[in-house]
mmCIF file of all heavy atoms in Angstrom:
data_model
loop_
_atom_site.group_PDB
_atom_site.id
_atom_site.type_symbol
_atom_site.label_atom_id
_atom_site.label_comp_id
_atom_site.label_asym_id
_atom_site.label_seq_id
_atom_site.Cartn_x
_atom_site.Cartn_y
_atom_site.Cartn_z
ATOM 1 N N GLY B 215 -38.754 21.775 27.313
ATOM 2 C CA GLY B 215 -38.915 20.330 27.414
ATOM 3 C C GLY B 215 -38.210 19.574 26.312
ATOM 4 O O GLY B 215 -37.077 19.889 25.945
ATOM 5 N N GLU B 216 -38.920 18.571 25.764
ATOM 6 C CA GLU B 216 -38.317 17.703 24.761
ATOM 7 C C GLU B 216 -37.913 18.453 23.514
ATOM 8 O O GLU B 216 -36.912 18.141 22.879
ATOM 9 C CB GLU B 216 -39.297 16.587 24.374
ATOM 10 C CG GLU B 216 -39.202 15.361 25.247
ATOM 11 C CD GLU B 216 -40.163 14.269 24.786
ATOM 12 O OE1 GLU B 216 -40.295 14.084 23.561
ATOM 13 O OE2 GLU B 216 -40.773 13.623 25.656
ATOM 14 N N ALA B 217 -38.729 19.446 23.131
ATOM 15 C CA ALA B 217 -38.423 20.213 21.925
ATOM 16 C C ALA B 217 -37.079 20.907 22.083
ATOM 17 O O ALA B 217 -36.238 20.896 21.181
ATOM 18 C CB ALA B 217 -39.522 21.232 21.653
ATOM 19 N N ARG B 218 -36.853 21.498 23.287
ATOM 20 C CA ARG B 218 -35.593 22.207 23.490
ATOM 21 C C ARG B 218 -34.423 21.228 23.426
ATOM 22 O O ARG B 218 -33.396 21.505 22.809
ATOM 23 C CB ARG B 218 -35.583 22.950 24.827
ATOM 24 C CG ARG B 218 -34.504 24.025 24.857
ATOM 25 C CD ARG B 218 -34.218 24.570 26.240
ATOM 26 N NE ARG B 218 -35.317 25.339 26.798
ATOM 27 C CZ ARG B 218 -35.236 25.983 27.966
ATOM 28 N NH1 ARG B 218 -34.112 25.942 28.673
ATOM 29 N NH2 ARG B 218 -36.272 26.653 28.433
ATOM 30 N N ALA B 219 -34.580 20.038 24.021
ATOM 31 C CA ALA B 219 -33.507 19.045 24.007
ATOM 32 C C ALA B 219 -33.193 18.614 22.570
ATOM 33 O O ALA B 219 -32.021 18.483 22.192
ATOM 34 C CB ALA B 219 -33.900 17.837 24.856
ATOM 35 N N ALA B 220 -34.249 18.409 21.769
ATOM 36 C CA ALA B 220 -34.042 17.966 20.392
ATOM 37 C C ALA B 220 -33.339 19.053 19.573
ATOM 38 O O ALA B 220 -32.454 18.767 18.761
ATOM 39 C CB ALA B 220 -35.376 17.599 19.746
ATOM 40 N N VAL B 221 -33.721 20.329 19.804
ATOM 41 C CA VAL B 221 -33.092 21.421 19.057
ATOM 42 C C VAL B 221 -31.635 21.591 19.500
ATOM 43 O O VAL B 221 -30.749 21.822 18.669
ATOM 44 C CB VAL B 221 -33.890 22.730 19.235
ATOM 45 C CG1 VAL B 221 -33.148 23.898 18.601
ATOM 46 C CG2 VAL B 221 -35.277 22.599 18.609
ATOM 47 N N HIS B 222 -31.351 21.442 20.807
ATOM 48 C CA HIS B 222 -29.968 21.449 21.286
ATOM 49 C C HIS B 222 -29.128 20.469 20.481
ATOM 50 O O HIS B 222 -28.043 20.785 20.002
ATOM 51 C CB HIS B 222 -29.908 21.026 22.764
ATOM 52 C CG HIS B 222 -29.867 22.166 23.729
ATOM 53 N ND1 HIS B 222 -28.806 23.051 23.774
ATOM 54 C CD2 HIS B 222 -30.721 22.555 24.699
ATOM 55 C CE1 HIS B 222 -29.045 23.938 24.736
ATOM 56 N NE2 HIS B 222 -30.199 23.664 25.307
ATOM 57 N N ASP B 223 -29.661 19.259 20.333
ATOM 58 C CA ASP B 223 -28.923 18.203 19.656
ATOM 59 C C ASP B 223 -28.679 18.570 18.194
ATOM 60 O O ASP B 223 -27.574 18.405 17.671
ATOM 61 C CB ASP B 223 -29.705 16.892 19.774
ATOM 62 C CG ASP B 223 -28.989 15.753 19.104
ATOM 63 O OD1 ASP B 223 -27.817 15.518 19.461
ATOM 64 O OD2 ASP B 223 -29.584 15.106 18.221
ATOM 65 N N ALA B 224 -29.712 19.103 17.521
ATOM 66 C CA ALA B 224 -29.572 19.484 16.106
ATOM 67 C C ALA B 224 -28.546 20.612 15.962
ATOM 68 O O ALA B 224 -27.724 20.610 15.038
ATOM 69 C CB ALA B 224 -30.926 19.915 15.539
ATOM 70 N N ILE B 225 -28.560 21.575 16.886
ATOM 71 C CA ILE B 225 -27.633 22.699 16.799
ATOM 72 C C ILE B 225 -26.212 22.236 17.075
ATOM 73 O O ILE B 225 -25.264 22.657 16.415
ATOM 74 C CB ILE B 225 -28.065 23.826 17.754
ATOM 75 C CG1 ILE B 225 -29.297 24.520 17.156
ATOM 76 C CG2 ILE B 225 -26.944 24.838 17.978
ATOM 77 C CD1 ILE B 225 -29.993 25.461 18.085
ATOM 78 N N ASP B 226 -26.049 21.314 18.041
ATOM 79 C CA ASP B 226 -24.709 20.814 18.334
ATOM 80 C C ASP B 226 -24.121 20.092 17.122
ATOM 81 O O ASP B 226 -22.910 20.037 16.956
ATOM 82 C CB ASP B 226 -24.745 19.884 19.551
ATOM 83 C CG ASP B 226 -23.346 19.578 20.053
ATOM 84 O OD1 ASP B 226 -22.622 20.561 20.359
ATOM 85 O OD2 ASP B 226 -22.962 18.402 20.118
ATOM 86 N N ARG B 227 -24.984 19.518 16.266
ATOM 87 C CA ARG B 227 -24.502 18.876 15.034
ATOM 88 C C ARG B 227 -24.509 19.855 13.859
ATOM 89 O O ARG B 227 -24.256 19.462 12.734
ATOM 90 C CB ARG B 227 -25.358 17.643 14.720
ATOM 91 C CG ARG B 227 -25.087 16.479 15.667
ATOM 92 C CD ARG B 227 -25.941 15.273 15.351
ATOM 93 N NE ARG B 227 -27.329 15.479 15.701
ATOM 94 C CZ ARG B 227 -28.325 15.612 14.824
ATOM 95 N NH1 ARG B 227 -28.082 15.560 13.541
ATOM 96 N NH2 ARG B 227 -29.550 15.820 15.222
ATOM 97 N N LYS B 228 -24.801 21.119 14.116
ATOM 98 C CA LYS B 228 -24.867 22.162 13.089
ATOM 99 C C LYS B 228 -25.722 21.704 11.909
ATOM 100 O O LYS B 228 -25.374 21.923 10.746
ATOM 101 C CB LYS B 228 -23.461 22.548 12.612
ATOM 102 C CG LYS B 228 -22.563 23.008 13.763
ATOM 103 C CD LYS B 228 -21.417 23.846 13.266
ATOM 104 C CE LYS B 228 -20.431 24.158 14.389
ATOM 105 N NZ LYS B 228 -21.043 24.912 15.504
ATOM 106 N N SER B 229 -26.823 21.030 12.202
ATOM 107 C CA SER B 229 -27.662 20.480 11.148
ATOM 108 C C SER B 229 -28.837 21.402 10.875
ATOM 109 O O SER B 229 -29.866 21.342 11.551
ATOM 110 C CB SER B 229 -28.160 19.089 11.554
ATOM 111 O OG SER B 229 -29.056 18.612 10.574
ATOM 112 N N GLY B 230 -28.675 22.278 9.873
ATOM 113 C CA GLY B 230 -29.752 23.168 9.479
ATOM 114 C C GLY B 230 -30.983 22.395 9.045
ATOM 115 O O GLY B 230 -32.119 22.795 9.310
ATOM 116 N N ALA B 231 -30.762 21.245 8.379
ATOM 117 C CA ALA B 231 -31.884 20.442 7.897
ATOM 118 C C ALA B 231 -32.719 19.925 9.071
ATOM 119 O O ALA B 231 -33.944 19.918 9.024
ATOM 120 C CB ALA B 231 -31.367 19.284 7.048
ATOM 121 N N ASP B 232 -32.040 19.478 10.137
ATOM 122 C CA ASP B 232 -32.774 18.977 11.299
ATOM 123 C C ASP B 232 -33.465 20.119 12.047
ATOM 124 O O ASP B 232 -34.545 19.927 12.613
ATOM 125 C CB ASP B 232 -31.831 18.221 12.246
ATOM 126 C CG ASP B 232 -31.449 16.858 11.678
ATOM 127 O OD1 ASP B 232 -31.933 16.534 10.569
ATOM 128 O OD2 ASP B 232 -30.665 16.127 12.325
ATOM 129 N N VAL B 233 -32.833 21.303 12.042
ATOM 130 C CA VAL B 233 -33.477 22.473 12.643
ATOM 131 C C VAL B 233 -34.795 22.760 11.922
ATOM 132 O O VAL B 233 -35.831 22.979 12.563
ATOM 133 C CB VAL B 233 -32.534 23.706 12.593
ATOM 134 C CG1 VAL B 233 -33.324 24.990 12.829
ATOM 135 C CG2 VAL B 233 -31.420 23.554 13.626
ATOM 136 N N ASP B 234 -34.768 22.707 10.580
ATOM 137 C CA ASP B 234 -35.988 22.961 9.802
ATOM 138 C C ASP B 234 -37.066 21.929 10.115
ATOM 139 O O ASP B 234 -38.245 22.257 10.261
ATOM 140 C CB ASP B 234 -35.673 22.933 8.302
ATOM 141 C CG ASP B 234 -34.980 24.207 7.849
ATOM 142 O OD1 ASP B 234 -35.153 25.242 8.533
ATOM 143 O OD2 ASP B 234 -34.272 24.170 6.825
ATOM 144 N N LEU B 235 -36.624 20.665 10.202
ATOM 145 C CA LEU B 235 -37.552 19.572 10.497
ATOM 146 C C LEU B 235 -38.219 19.792 11.850
ATOM 147 O O LEU B 235 -39.447 19.689 11.991
ATOM 148 C CB LEU B 235 -36.757 18.261 10.503
ATOM 149 C CG LEU B 235 -37.526 16.957 10.381
ATOM 150 C CD1 LEU B 235 -38.201 16.890 9.013
ATOM 151 C CD2 LEU B 235 -36.571 15.776 10.555
ATOM 152 N N LEU B 236 -37.410 20.135 12.877
ATOM 153 C CA LEU B 236 -37.946 20.356 14.218
ATOM 154 C C LEU B 236 -38.826 21.600 14.250
ATOM 155 O O LEU B 236 -39.856 21.628 14.931
ATOM 156 C CB LEU B 236 -36.802 20.481 15.229
ATOM 157 C CG LEU B 236 -36.044 19.172 15.502
ATOM 158 C CD1 LEU B 236 -34.705 19.445 16.166
ATOM 159 C CD2 LEU B 236 -36.887 18.244 16.367
ATOM 160 N N ALA B 237 -38.416 22.624 13.495
ATOM 161 C CA ALA B 237 -39.200 23.856 13.457
ATOM 162 C C ALA B 237 -40.595 23.563 12.912
ATOM 163 O O ALA B 237 -41.592 24.076 13.412
ATOM 164 C CB ALA B 237 -38.487 24.900 12.603
ATOM 165 N N ALA B 238 -40.637 22.716 11.862
ATOM 166 C CA ALA B 238 -41.932 22.353 11.285
ATOM 167 C C ALA B 238 -42.752 21.530 12.275
ATOM 168 O O ALA B 238 -43.948 21.764 12.463
ATOM 169 C CB ALA B 238 -41.715 21.580 9.984
ATOM 170 N N GLN B 239 -42.078 20.564 12.940
ATOM 171 C CA GLN B 239 -42.778 19.702 13.901
ATOM 172 C C GLN B 239 -43.380 20.490 15.057
ATOM 173 O O GLN B 239 -44.450 20.169 15.549
ATOM 174 C CB GLN B 239 -41.800 18.673 14.485
ATOM 175 C CG GLN B 239 -41.694 17.393 13.684
ATOM 176 C CD GLN B 239 -40.620 16.476 14.257
ATOM 177 O OE1 GLN B 239 -40.260 16.589 15.421
ATOM 178 N NE2 GLN B 239 -40.114 15.578 13.413
ATOM 179 N N HIS B 240 -42.644 21.498 15.523
ATOM 180 C CA HIS B 240 -43.072 22.228 16.710
ATOM 181 C C HIS B 240 -43.709 23.570 16.374
ATOM 182 O O HIS B 240 -43.934 24.389 17.270
ATOM 183 C CB HIS B 240 -41.901 22.407 17.676
ATOM 184 C CG HIS B 240 -41.382 21.100 18.196
ATOM 185 N ND1 HIS B 240 -42.030 20.355 19.134
ATOM 186 C CD2 HIS B 240 -40.281 20.375 17.859
ATOM 187 C CE1 HIS B 240 -41.349 19.232 19.375
ATOM 188 N NE2 HIS B 240 -40.286 19.224 18.607
ATOM 189 N N GLY B 241 -43.944 23.809 15.088
ATOM 190 C CA GLY B 241 -44.631 25.022 14.666
ATOM 191 C C GLY B 241 -43.911 26.299 15.040
ATOM 192 O O GLY B 241 -44.533 27.264 15.501
ATOM 193 N N LEU B 242 -42.577 26.327 14.860
ATOM 194 C CA LEU B 242 -41.814 27.526 15.221
ATOM 195 C C LEU B 242 -41.941 28.576 14.119
ATOM 196 O O LEU B 242 -42.043 28.240 12.938
ATOM 197 C CB LEU B 242 -40.343 27.163 15.433
ATOM 198 C CG LEU B 242 -40.086 26.067 16.469
ATOM 199 C CD1 LEU B 242 -38.586 25.800 16.581
ATOM 200 C CD2 LEU B 242 -40.650 26.445 17.828
ATOM 201 N N SER B 243 -41.895 29.828 14.512
ATOM 202 C CA SER B 243 -42.037 30.920 13.553
ATOM 203 C C SER B 243 -40.791 31.048 12.692
ATOM 204 O O SER B 243 -39.726 30.518 13.020
ATOM 205 C CB SER B 243 -42.249 32.233 14.310
ATOM 206 O OG SER B 243 -41.040 32.606 14.947
ATOM 207 N N GLY B 244 -40.930 31.770 11.575
ATOM 208 C CA GLY B 244 -39.801 32.001 10.687
ATOM 209 C C GLY B 244 -38.661 32.705 11.391
ATOM 210 O O GLY B 244 -37.487 32.422 11.141
ATOM 211 N N ALA B 245 -38.993 33.621 12.312
ATOM 212 C CA ALA B 245 -37.956 34.373 13.022
ATOM 213 C C ALA B 245 -37.150 33.447 13.931
ATOM 214 O O ALA B 245 -35.919 33.505 13.978
ATOM 215 C CB ALA B 245 -38.593 35.496 13.847
ATOM 216 N N VAL B 246 -37.862 32.571 14.652
ATOM 217 C CA VAL B 246 -37.177 31.631 15.541
ATOM 218 C C VAL B 246 -36.293 30.698 14.721
ATOM 219 O O VAL B 246 -35.148 30.422 15.072
ATOM 220 C CB VAL B 246 -38.199 30.820 16.369
ATOM 221 C CG1 VAL B 246 -37.508 29.658 17.072
ATOM 222 C CG2 VAL B 246 -38.894 31.723 17.373
ATOM 223 N N ARG B 247 -36.857 30.247 13.590
ATOM 224 C CA ARG B 247 -36.087 29.360 12.730
ATOM 225 C C ARG B 247 -34.800 30.045 12.273
ATOM 226 O O ARG B 247 -33.724 29.429 12.256
ATOM 227 C CB ARG B 247 -36.942 28.966 11.523
ATOM 228 C CG ARG B 247 -36.306 27.925 10.644
ATOM 229 C CD ARG B 247 -37.144 27.688 9.414
ATOM 230 N NE ARG B 247 -38.416 27.060 9.725
ATOM 231 C CZ ARG B 247 -39.044 26.229 8.893
ATOM 232 N NH1 ARG B 247 -38.517 25.949 7.723
ATOM 233 N NH2 ARG B 247 -40.193 25.710 9.225
ATOM 234 N N GLY B 248 -34.890 31.329 11.930
ATOM 235 C CA GLY B 248 -33.704 32.084 11.520
ATOM 236 C C GLY B 248 -32.672 32.151 12.637
ATOM 237 O O GLY B 248 -31.474 31.997 12.399
ATOM 238 N N THR B 249 -33.160 32.369 13.868
ATOM 239 C CA THR B 249 -32.253 32.415 15.019
ATOM 240 C C THR B 249 -31.539 31.083 15.203
ATOM 241 O O THR B 249 -30.336 31.030 15.452
ATOM 242 C CB THR B 249 -33.053 32.741 16.304
ATOM 243 O OG1 THR B 249 -33.752 33.967 16.095
ATOM 244 C CG2 THR B 249 -32.146 32.851 17.500
ATOM 245 N N LEU B 250 -32.294 29.981 15.072
ATOM 246 C CA LEU B 250 -31.693 28.661 15.258
ATOM 247 C C LEU B 250 -30.644 28.381 14.188
ATOM 248 O O LEU B 250 -29.576 27.838 14.474
ATOM 249 C CB LEU B 250 -32.779 27.574 15.232
ATOM 250 C CG LEU B 250 -33.888 27.714 16.269
ATOM 251 C CD1 LEU B 250 -34.835 26.514 16.216
ATOM 252 C CD2 LEU B 250 -33.323 27.880 17.674
ATOM 253 N N HIS B 251 -30.951 28.778 12.948
ATOM 254 C CA HIS B 251 -29.954 28.614 11.886
ATOM 255 C C HIS B 251 -28.709 29.424 12.186
ATOM 256 O O HIS B 251 -27.584 28.973 11.951
ATOM 257 C CB HIS B 251 -30.540 29.024 10.525
ATOM 258 C CG HIS B 251 -31.282 27.916 9.848
ATOM 259 N ND1 HIS B 251 -30.634 26.895 9.198
ATOM 260 C CD2 HIS B 251 -32.606 27.641 9.755
ATOM 261 C CE1 HIS B 251 -31.534 26.049 8.709
ATOM 262 N NE2 HIS B 251 -32.741 26.476 9.042
ATOM 263 N N ALA B 252 -28.908 30.639 12.709
ATOM 264 C CA ALA B 252 -27.757 31.486 13.042
ATOM 265 C C ALA B 252 -26.866 30.795 14.078
ATOM 266 O O ALA B 252 -25.637 30.884 14.009
ATOM 267 C CB ALA B 252 -28.236 32.844 13.550
ATOM 268 N N LEU B 253 -27.489 30.074 15.032
ATOM 269 C CA LEU B 253 -26.699 29.370 16.050
ATOM 270 C C LEU B 253 -25.779 28.325 15.419
ATOM 271 O O LEU B 253 -24.667 28.094 15.891
ATOM 272 C CB LEU B 253 -27.623 28.680 17.061
ATOM 273 C CG LEU B 253 -28.245 29.561 18.147
ATOM 274 C CD1 LEU B 253 -29.263 28.749 18.946
ATOM 275 C CD2 LEU B 253 -27.185 30.116 19.075
ATOM 276 N N THR B 254 -26.256 27.671 14.344
ATOM 277 C CA THR B 254 -25.415 26.631 13.734
ATOM 278 C C THR B 254 -24.222 27.239 12.990
ATOM 279 O O THR B 254 -23.297 26.522 12.634
ATOM 280 C CB THR B 254 -26.202 25.750 12.734
ATOM 281 O OG1 THR B 254 -26.548 26.531 11.585
ATOM 282 C CG2 THR B 254 -27.462 25.176 13.357
ATOM 283 N N ASP B 255 -24.249 28.547 12.760
ATOM 284 C CA ASP B 255 -23.149 29.190 12.033
ATOM 285 C C ASP B 255 -22.310 30.099 12.920
ATOM 286 O O ASP B 255 -21.491 30.879 12.432
ATOM 287 C CB ASP B 255 -23.704 30.031 10.873
ATOM 288 C CG ASP B 255 -23.804 29.216 9.604
ATOM 289 O OD1 ASP B 255 -23.045 28.233 9.496
ATOM 290 O OD2 ASP B 255 -24.635 29.552 8.742
ATOM 291 N N LEU B 256 -22.513 30.007 14.223
ATOM 292 C CA LEU B 256 -21.895 30.957 15.143
ATOM 293 C C LEU B 256 -20.513 30.477 15.603
ATOM 294 O O LEU B 256 -20.292 30.243 16.775
ATOM 295 C CB LEU B 256 -22.833 31.133 16.342
ATOM 296 C CG LEU B 256 -23.002 32.525 16.960
ATOM 297 C CD1 LEU B 256 -23.203 33.578 15.897
ATOM 298 C CD2 LEU B 256 -24.145 32.529 17.944
ATOM 299 N N TYR B 257 -19.603 30.312 14.656
ATOM 300 C CA TYR B 257 -18.250 29.903 15.026
ATOM 301 C C TYR B 257 -17.236 30.664 14.181
ATOM 302 O O TYR B 257 -17.555 31.111 13.085
ATOM 303 C CB TYR B 257 -18.062 28.396 14.861
ATOM 304 C CG TYR B 257 -18.314 27.873 13.463
ATOM 305 C CD1 TYR B 257 -17.267 27.684 12.572
ATOM 306 C CD2 TYR B 257 -19.599 27.564 13.035
ATOM 307 C CE1 TYR B 257 -17.494 27.213 11.285
ATOM 308 C CE2 TYR B 257 -19.827 27.096 11.760
ATOM 309 C CZ TYR B 257 -18.774 26.926 10.881
ATOM 310 O OH TYR B 257 -19.005 26.470 9.612
#
Side-chain angles (χ1 to χ4, degrees):
Chain B
E216 272 182 40
R218 198 194 292 185
V221 173
H222 264 296
D223 181 55
I225 286 169
D226 192 56
R227 287 180 289 110
K228 303 201 187 300
S229 175
D232 286 0
V233 163
D234 284 336
L235 198 65
L236 290 163
Q239 272 175 22
H240 297 285
L242 304 180
S243 71
V246 168
R247 187 185 292 211
T249 304
L250 302 185
H251 274 282
L253 281 173
T254 69
D255 270 335
L256 219 46
Y257 58 96

